[in-house]
Amino acid sequence: MLEYAVEARRIDAHGSLATAKDASIVLDTDVRGRPDAFNPAELLLAAVAACMIKGIERVAPMLGFEFDGVEVRLQGQRQDSPPKMVAITYEVIVDTHESDQRLALLHTNIRKYGTISNTVSAGTELTGVVRRRTPV
């Protein structure tokens, strides 16, 4: 079983700092918000996006799936009482020439093997699509 560890500490009334391994990220913990840091909801969405991209990196070699890039767009819907995310929608845009069936296979693998996406989807509606980037 894998284990993960993160430490976070308050810097001041405007923000905090989270660390893991040799990395750190500034957190928006200011009650009024701050534009230069991710708030907790944005961190959750970023974690889902990172999980999906990492999942693609993991399964693409096994599937022989060729791609040049990936973009993930997410939107979360929060209710006020009690405060919680009730729905997250995503769009995964893949730079690839693979067929629609292969994109669907990639999507299945993203959903099936994503640690964070599986955790989130157990308590929040998580829906979305995987599509090919339309050439400009």
Side-chain angles (χ1 to χ4, degrees), residues 78-84 86:
R78 178 188 179 272
Q79 76 177 26
D80 284 333
S81 184
K84 69 176 185 175
V86 292

Side-chain angles (χ1 to χ4, degrees), residues 38-46 78 85:
F38 282 58
N39 68 35
E42 292 161 340
L43 282 167
L44 176 66
L45 297 177
R78 178 188 179 272
M85 286 290 206

Side-chain angles (χ1 to χ4, degrees), residues 6 17-18 20 22 24 27 32 34 43 50 60 63 81 93 114 121:
V6 171
L17 185 72
D22 293 330
S24 62
L27 307 175
R32 291 179 305 256
R34 56 186 281 183
L43 282 167
L63 299 175
S81 184
I93 304 159
S121 68

Side-chain angles (χ1 to χ4, degrees), residues 28-123:
D28 172 8
T29 53
D30 188 319
V31 177
R32 291 179 305 256
R34 56 186 281 183
D36 65 335
F38 282 58
N39 68 35
E42 292 161 340
L43 282 167
L44 176 66
L45 297 177
V48 173
C51 176
M52 290 178 171
I53 294 170
K54 189 165 187 167
I56 291 169
E57 296 291 354
R58 187 181 313 112
V59 302
M62 291 185 273
L63 299 175
F65 189 95
E66 294 184 18
F67 68 101
D68 295 318
V70 174
E71 179 181 342
V72 180
R73 299 175 184 169
L74 296 107
Q75 290 196 321
Q77 197 172 45
R78 178 188 179 272
Q79 76 177 26
D80 284 333
S81 184
K84 69 176 185 175
M85 286 290 206
V86 292
I88 296 172
T89 57
Y90 63 86
E91 179 182 26
V92 179
I93 304 159
V94 185
D95 298 322
T96 186
H97 295 292
E98 296 278 359
S99 69
D100 289 345
Q101 288 111 341
R102 300 270 292 154
L103 277 172
L105 177 62
L106 183 69
H107 192 192
T108 298
N109 278 272
I110 292 169
R111 290 299 303 251
K112 188 173 183 179
Y113 298 110
T115 301
I116 304 306
S117 58
N118 283 337
T119 301
V120 168
S121 68

